[in-house]
Amino acid sequence: MATQDSSTQAPPIVPRAMLDVLREARRLVILSGAGMSAESGVPTFRDAMEGLWEKFDPMELASPAAWDADRERVWAWYEWRRGLVQQAQPNPGHLAIPKLAEALKKVSGHDVTVDVITQNVDDLHERAGSKHVLHVHGSLFAPSCCLCGRGEQFAGAPPSEPVARMPPPKCRYCEGVLRPGVVWFGEGLPNHVWRHAEQLIVDCDALLVVGTSGVVYPAARLPVMAREDDKWVGEINPNVSDLSDKVSLHWQTTAALGLTALLDALRGEAVTRRLP
Ligand SMILES: [Zn+2]
């Protein structure tokens, strides 16, 4: 997807139906996908195949078979991607999300929780200030032991230049080594993570789907589940996606423009409410 410069575009008009629903919501869930990170300049999975990596197929690096065949190559690719993410910054869409709960509370007069379910493996939501972020596809920043499964922190910075091979660090608890903390092709989502995501959908009043193509399962099931449960589902996406005809409302705009406009509109309503 092409990135768009949000600074030169007029703010979009927030659909009235979206404001009407969100004004009543007590539990809002935001499901974010690759489009949201792309607006921050994070290369998508496929775009990350340049330079040293251009002769590889990402499908052949992001799988248990690739890991078994050449751990040092796979680890080096993920370390390079971690470095790319560290150079990127949260965009205005990421930054608006942690401010939505307070803006909604001022408009509605009741407490509002905003949870994020993301398919992205970067940490831009966290760096923007969101506290409740569920990474259904794992995270580039949460390696774990390939044998005992214990999580571990990174000891150092990723290399500044791409390297073809890097030995993965050893686990401090067992004979294993650390593996990237992401869900690979051919792997299921961790049960507890998926159950948590399902529960968030069951408990929410409204779901906002932002920058996801709706083609990666099972994550793409979440908006459908919400609709089956008669929840309102809004989509923010500059493109028509596989979800667009399944949601309650498709708002054709980017994450950065749309979420910023939404926050501004809610804050405007809050000010209006205080006027005599
Ligand atoms: Zn271990």
Side-chain angles (χ1 to χ4, degrees):
M1 193 184 87
T3 55
Q4 300 187 17
D5 181 359
S6 57
S7 63
T8 59
Q9 296 176 44
I13 306 293
V14 184
R16 177 54 48 185
M18 180 177 286
L19 290 171
D20 289 346
V21 169
L22 296 187
R23 211 182 284 118
E24 304 297 321
R26 289 173 185 270
R27 304 197 67 163
L28 170 65
V29 171
I30 294 178
L31 171 65
S32 70
M36 182 135 203
S37 297
E39 280 186 73
S40 281
V42 176
T44 64
F45 187 68
R46 294 205 168 273
D47 290 340
M49 310 310 293
E50 57 185 33
L52 174 66
W53 300 106
E54 66 190 359
K55 62 181 185 291
F56 293 96
D57 178 347
M59 306 279 280
E60 291 168 7
L61 289 170
S63 71
W67 176 252
D68 289 342
D70 195 340
R71 291 175 174 187
E72 296 193 0
R73 186 184 304 287
V74 170
W75 185 257
W77 185 57
Y78 278 97
E79 280 294 87
W80 183 61
R81 290 181 58 200
R82 181 165 72 97
L84 292 178
V85 165
Q86 285 186 336
Q87 290 165 30
Q89 299 301 324
N91 66 56
H94 291 109
L95 295 168
I97 290 174
K99 299 174 183 138
L100 282 176
E102 192 187 340
L104 286 164
K105 181 177 179 177
K106 283 188 176 154
V107 167
S108 66
H110 53 64
D111 283 333
V112 179
T113 62
V114 178
D115 286 276
V116 177
I117 303 173
T118 186
Q119 301 169 76
N120 301 331
V121 294
D122 57 59
D123 61 349
L124 295 175
H125 283 298
E126 287 90 341
R127 280 158 58 195
S130 285
K131 301 274 185 265
H132 306 287
V133 184
L134 181 65
H135 287 266
V136 286
H137 293 163
S139 165
L140 291 172
F141 298 87
S144 61
C145 174
C146 67
L147 282 184
C148 72
R150 285 185 174 94
E152 186 55 275
Q153 303 291 316
F154 282 100
S160 53
E161 296 290 325
V163 294
R165 283 200 157 72
M166 283 183 74
K170 291 187 166 53
C171 174
R172 71 166 91 178
Y173 305 105
C174 77
E175 297 297 301
V177 295
L178 301 189
R179 59 157 279 176
V182 302
V183 178
W184 281 329
F185 291 108
E187 291 185 317
L189 274 56
N191 271 338
H192 67 285
V193 172
W194 182 247
R195 277 200 304 272
H196 188 182
E198 284 184 320
Q199 195 61 50
L200 287 171
I201 297 299
V202 167
D203 292 342
C204 80
D205 302 313
L207 172 67
L208 211 44
V209 184
V210 185
T212 176
S213 54
V215 295
V216 179
Y217 283 83
R221 274 280 303 149
L222 296 170
V224 177
M225 281 171 46
R227 286 298 298 133
E228 287 169 355
D229 207 13
D230 275 338
K231 306 290 172 66
W232 182 89
V233 180
E235 179 186 39
I236 293 179
N237 198 319
N239 307 304
V240 173
S241 78
D242 276 27
L243 292 170
S244 299
D245 62 356
K246 303 187 183 91
V247 297
S248 315
L249 185 147
H250 170 75
W251 184 17
Q252 193 157 3
T253 186
T254 71
L257 287 170
L259 290 169
T260 306
L262 175 60
L263 180 63
D264 288 346
L266 291 169
R267 285 174 166 173
E269 287 202 5
V271 169
T272 309
R273 274 170 61 93
R274 282 202 297 274
L275 294 176

